[in-house]
Amino acid sequence: MRRPMTRVEGTAPETHDEEAVVVPAPKLAPPPPAADVLERDRLLDVLDQATSGEIPSVTLLNAPAGSGKTVLLGSWFRRRARHHPGGEHLAWVSLDANDNKVFSWWSSILQAVYRGAIPGPALARDASAHEGVGAFVDACARLRRPVILVLDNAHELTEPDAVKNVNLLLRYLPSGVRVVIATRFPPPLILPQIRLEGRLREITAHQLNFTEEETGQLLARKNLALSKADLDRVMERTEGWAAGLRFLTLALDSAPDARGAIRAFTGDDRLLAEYLSGEVVGPQPTYVREFLLSVSVCPDLTDGLATRLTGQEHAGQILYTLTRTNALITQPGREEGRYRCHPLLREYLRAELSRRHPRAYRRLHRSAAEWFTDSGDVLTAFEHSVAAQDEELITRYVQRFGLRIVLKGHGPRLHRLLGALPEHLLARPQVALVAAIASLDDHDLVAADRYLGRIDTSAQPLRSGRLRALNAVAVVYRARYGGQLEEALAELRATNAGDTGDTDLDLLALAMRGTAALWLGDIPGATEDLERALRMATLERRDAISLQCEIHLAGIACVQGDLAELAVHTGAALELARSHGWTETSRTAFLYTVLGLAAYQRLDQESARRFSALASRLLPAVVDPAVELLTATLSAAVEFGLAADPHAVVETLRGHRKRLAGEPVAPWLLACTAPIEQRLALRVGEPTWAMDVMERHRHLLAPYAEHALLSTLVHLHRGRPGAARRRLRPVIERQTRTLVAHTLIESWLLEAVLADQAGEQNRAHTALGHALDLAAPLQALRPFHDAGQDIRELLVRGAGRFGRTEEFASAVLQALPAHPGAPVDPLTSRELELLTELPSMRTAEQIADSLYVSVNTVKTHLRGIYRKLGVNHRRDAVVAARRRGLL
């Protein structure tokens, strides 16, 4: 007996007793696009490329719910239809649970293929899988053009028979047929085999995520001019997940304050929570839902942490399965054993946990705190102790780990956490003092003063030696930003801070003591404390305080002109900053100031400007006055020659100095900065300002050589060379102490210029030799540059007579700007080549041999050189060439 046949829509029935199977039309077309859909060309192009060619390929879009798979495929489907009308046949099937029935599956596929095309034969209800594949192959052949078949929601296919039929279809795809499959998780298809055959193309969840640029375009459609911070926040929350962005745009539609809505948008948003409950969490088994609630207290998970939180020994297997099923749990970097919950899903789960099981919420945070403590991550442990709202646990963690958190570089995060604690908890001295130090590490003086004020006004004295030492450290830290630093340092030294046996307290005390001593002018004491602190910090891996010590020791080396130490400390500081992501933070602002000052002294203008710009940009609003003054001086020095209004540059620098006039300033700091300010003032024609620099710092610099140098420059400007030389004599005779390495160099250079003006050429050459002897080990070029053209002339005249510093003298000469005068008749390239041979004093014959020319040619070129330089002898030609910058 003949089997009954079922008619596919568009075909003529063969008998009147056939059952018609009607496939709903919406199943066979992509959903209509939303009005505000953003077509992402990069993904549309990826799909075009994946489905190109005649090879029967399979393209897989495997991503979580809400990743925008259907929207993307719909956009691409419609674009293909527009761009390839009649060139290829497009078929779409939105799969559902009913397609697990084999006959329904084949009915949907065949009707999708025949839709809008020539009719084909009907398929029997009890047709075998091979008959179904045969009907599909026959249908594709009858179309006589390439076929693209889109199967959306393939995760709905779970029954073995349905999976078997799909696998058979994929195995026997005819030539010119490409299948695109969208699924929330990989169904048990023969995808590995197809991958091995080279026929599988894959588009991952990561690729489907909106980029920052695409997110900005999407939100711009709401007429929002988002700041970079707002956009960063959106990306941090949504990670480009399409559903998250969609629900955010819905929230923005009804929000009067867009930026406020962005800040308030979380996984607990009502519409988003309903979606997550229905599409992500709801389909999971009960034990998995409870598992997700328990682990939601932690954004990042490991197998061990998940086991501690849930009590389930197979927690790692559950997490792995969740990643495989695209339940918004991922493995960052595919690192085995580590997992991460999407921020919006975690916020939803955490809110659910807090509402439904508040006691369990706090208990789970306590468990997490214990686990992270055991793992050595004390900052995360403290965060969980705060979330657990366990005041005794919080106090214990602050007392035990607070300073360690600051010294490791997490003071700002600790400051924010402590700022949210109840007032009665912050009134406890052990909490208030750590809170003050964390506030200072975050440059929040208002909060620090508030916390320290609690200690000052407390009726209860600090009962333990540790608390008294901790208080003294905090007071010195605060005084660094303005206050009685000398008195605070004396009080700190009166405690046993630095030798209490508490590693973190002693380490912070040494660092604060060393920094305060540096700004008060005690460089030997500062060096001793900072080096000791650095050794401890390196051993204990307290990297933030290591960085601070390295930078301040680099500053000392820069002042002392110790290039080897400078390179060691700046190199170590840069490596620490790079390894922790601190290169673009306020922690490295002073490092760039030190590097900029060193580059300025080397006449490396480009590096000096680059480091100065970095230092100025990264300098926090609240900073050590000494650091601010050094940074401002460097900025003025490097910008002076480039500024359209140099006078304004000097005025700005004077403003900085006047504002800091009441702060304690070390004499060495003035010795570094005052000469620069004075020279700039003289260069803009402000002798009164130059005199003011000298007089303003007389009380601090009078005993030192630097004050004599300032006075000498004033005398020179007033045309008093005799008084200038008398003022210099105690300096060059070493009767007064110099604070910075370059002062003695500058003094000998001034003596050389003054002696030459007085007609004492031998004395001038000797003085210049002394300057070169001092400058060569430091590679100090700046003093020669600032001394002007007179020094260049002396270098030219003395060339060849500087002995062991001859090489450095040549380097100085090359670095100094040449005299603006130049020959009217320029030297030819051959003459310039010959000119470089003249200082060697080789004979004309030897030069001719080396240049492969005749002696007569050399002599002809020599005559041309002499004529153009206006000289008659070889030595005079070398001098003239050096004077003009040709050598």
Side-chain angles (χ1 to χ4, degrees), residues 292-528:
L292 287 170
L293 287 173
S294 296
V295 299
S296 67
V297 296
C298 296
D300 299 291
L301 296 162
T302 64
D303 295 348
L305 176 57
T307 298
R308 174 75 70 92
L309 294 173
T310 64
Q312 298 190 35
E313 292 297 328
H314 60 295
Q317 182 59 45
I318 295 175
L319 286 169
Y320 178 74
T321 301
L322 288 169
T323 65
R324 296 289 296 168
T325 56
N326 284 326
L328 292 178
I329 304 293
T330 58
Q331 286 185 284
R334 298 192 178 277
E335 187 176 351
E336 188 173 352
R338 302 193 71 87
Y339 303 89
R340 186 170 180 278
C341 183
H342 192 283
L344 293 176
L345 174 61
R346 178 176 173 257
E347 288 166 354
Y348 160 73
L349 291 168
R350 192 171 52 176
E352 283 291 295
L353 177 65
S354 180
R355 281 191 293 265
R356 291 163 52 184
H357 309 293
R359 294 178 61 183
Y361 178 83
R362 293 190 292 271
R363 174 181 57 76
L364 287 164
H365 274 296
R366 281 193 294 272
S367 295
E370 294 167 0
W371 192 88
F372 280 107
T373 301
D374 294 341
S375 301
D377 187 350
V378 294
L379 175 60
T380 304
F382 180 69
E383 289 174 333
H384 285 290
S385 74
V386 172
Q389 302 175 21
D390 186 328
E391 294 186 357
E392 294 309 314
L393 182 64
I394 291 170
T395 303
R396 189 163 67 249
Y397 269 74
V398 171
Q399 188 169 3
R400 184 179 173 190
F401 300 123
L403 291 183
R404 186 187 306 181
I405 291 170
V406 174
L407 299 184
K408 281 181 169 288
H410 305 300
R413 284 176 66 186
L414 181 63
H415 171 41
R416 289 189 290 273
L417 286 167
L418 291 173
L421 295 181
E423 286 297 315
H424 67 275
L425 197 56
L426 288 168
R428 297 179 181 182
Q430 60 269 47
V431 178
L433 288 171
V434 172
I437 290 169
S439 302
L440 291 166
D441 193 60
D442 199 25
H443 311 289
D444 187 346
L445 297 189
V446 174
D449 289 341
R450 187 170 67 250
Y451 295 133
L452 290 173
R454 289 188 171 96
I455 304 299
D456 294 337
T457 59
S458 173
Q460 299 293 328
L462 298 174
R463 297 179 180 179
S464 70
R466 181 186 184 279
L467 282 177
R468 289 191 291 274
L470 183 60
N471 182 61
V473 170
V475 170
V476 168
Y477 200 165
R478 173 61 181 86
R480 280 176 45 192
Y481 296 108
Q484 304 299 318
L485 183 59
E486 194 167 358
E487 292 82 348
L489 180 58
E491 291 183 13
L492 175 59
R493 286 173 170 161
T495 71
N496 65 341
D499 296 291
T500 65
D502 181 327
T503 299
D504 293 314
L505 175 56
D506 290 341
L507 180 50
L508 184 60
L510 287 170
M512 290 301 108
R513 205 165 72 188
T515 304
L518 177 60
W519 298 143
L520 291 172
D522 180 10
I523 290 183
T527 303
E528 180 182 353

Side-chain angles (χ1 to χ4, degrees), residues 34-362:
D36 56 352
V37 67
L38 176 69
E39 292 200 353
R40 297 186 281 168
D41 289 337
R42 68 175 177 92
L43 290 174
L44 298 176
D45 292 342
V46 168
L47 280 166
D48 280 341
Q49 185 176 4
T51 56
S52 62
E54 293 297 320
I55 297 176
S57 62
V58 178
T59 301
L60 179 70
L61 283 74
N62 176 25
S67 294
K69 300 181 294 296
T70 301
V71 173
L72 172 65
L73 286 177
S75 295
W76 175 74
F77 194 89
R78 284 183 285 270
R79 189 174 82 160
R80 295 289 294 200
R82 291 194 304 269
H83 291 177
H84 303 276
E88 60 189 14
H89 184 75
L90 300 172
W92 177 289
V93 180
S94 295
L95 300 171
D96 53 44
N98 193 56
D99 291 306
N100 281 289
K101 301 172 183 177
V102 173
F103 183 70
S104 295
W105 149 260
W106 282 117
S107 297
S108 299
I109 295 297
L110 292 174
Q111 188 161 331
V113 172
Y114 278 116
R115 193 177 194 199
I118 59 174
L123 183 69
R125 180 175 291 277
D126 58 349
S128 68
H130 283 84
E131 288 178 310
V133 172
F136 175 78
V137 171
D138 179 63
C140 292
R142 290 162 63 90
L143 289 170
R144 301 182 184 277
R145 51 184 168 154
V147 174
I148 294 179
L149 172 63
V150 177
L151 302 177
D152 194 22
N153 297 328
H155 51 271
E156 295 282 1
L157 301 179
T158 57
E159 294 298 324
D161 281 349
V163 172
K164 174 184 173 183
N165 277 264
V166 179
N167 279 332
L168 208 60
L169 170 66
L170 298 181
R171 178 176 298 166
Y172 295 121
L173 278 183
S175 178
V177 176
R178 282 92 74 201
V179 176
V180 181
I181 301 175
T183 181
R184 293 184 180 180
F185 49 85
L189 302 176
I190 56 169
L191 299 177
Q193 178 181 331
I194 297 173
R195 184 183 291 113
L196 187 62
E197 294 170 355
R199 296 194 293 120
L200 183 64
R201 316 287 185 262
E202 296 180 80
I203 297 176
T204 64
H206 179 72
Q207 289 175 279
L208 288 171
N209 285 341
F210 278 66
T211 64
E212 183 174 309
E213 181 181 359
E214 290 166 347
T215 300
Q217 293 172 359
L218 182 69
L219 296 178
R221 297 186 173 201
K222 299 292 181 183
N223 296 319
L224 295 177
L226 294 184
S227 67
K228 181 65 166 62
D230 289 333
L231 189 55
D232 287 345
R233 184 175 181 83
V234 170
M235 292 303 296
E236 180 184 356
R237 283 294 176 85
T238 66
E239 296 184 346
W241 181 45
L245 290 170
R246 176 60 178 163
F247 284 110
L248 172 61
T249 60
L250 292 175
L252 292 174
D253 284 338
S254 58
D257 175 16
R259 287 186 173 81
I262 289 172
R263 288 190 293 272
F265 182 73
T266 69
D268 201 29
D269 173 83
R270 181 179 62 82
L271 296 178
L272 176 56
E274 290 175 358
Y275 180 83
L276 290 169
S277 174
E279 298 294 329
V280 178
V281 179
Q284 302 294 338
T286 301
Y287 77 94
V288 174
R289 293 199 297 270
E290 292 301 320
F291 177 92
L292 287 170
L293 287 173
S294 296
V295 299
S296 67
V297 296
C298 296
D300 299 291
L301 296 162
T302 64
D303 295 348
L305 176 57
T307 298
R308 174 75 70 92
L309 294 173
T310 64
Q312 298 190 35
E313 292 297 328
H314 60 295
Q317 182 59 45
I318 295 175
L319 286 169
Y320 178 74
T321 301
L322 288 169
T323 65
R324 296 289 296 168
T325 56
N326 284 326
L328 292 178
I329 304 293
T330 58
Q331 286 185 284
R334 298 192 178 277
E335 187 176 351
E336 188 173 352
R338 302 193 71 87
Y339 303 89
R340 186 170 180 278
C341 183
H342 192 283
L344 293 176
L345 174 61
R346 178 176 173 257
E347 288 166 354
Y348 160 73
L349 291 168
R350 192 171 52 176
E352 283 291 295
L353 177 65
S354 180
R355 281 191 293 265
R356 291 163 52 184
H357 309 293
R359 294 178 61 183
Y361 178 83
R362 293 190 292 271

Side-chain angles (χ1 to χ4, degrees), residues 559-631:
V559 170
Q560 296 177 332
D562 190 334
L563 297 184
E565 283 294 297
L566 177 66
V568 167
H569 292 302
T570 54
L574 286 168
E575 180 56 35
L576 272 172
R578 276 192 292 266
S579 64
H580 290 280
W582 293 333
T583 53
E584 291 280 326
T585 68
S586 60
R587 293 188 186 279
T588 50
F590 185 40
L591 171 61
Y592 296 127
T593 299
V594 172
L595 288 168
L597 288 169
Y600 178 73
Q601 292 297 335
R602 297 193 309 270
L603 292 184
D604 183 353
Q605 292 293 96
E606 183 180 348
S607 294
R609 280 194 294 272
R610 178 164 53 86
F611 287 130
S612 174
L614 272 170
S616 299
R617 177 165 61 83
L618 298 176
L619 203 68
V622 176
V623 67
D624 290 3
V627 172
E628 181 180 351
L629 182 56
L630 281 168
T631 306

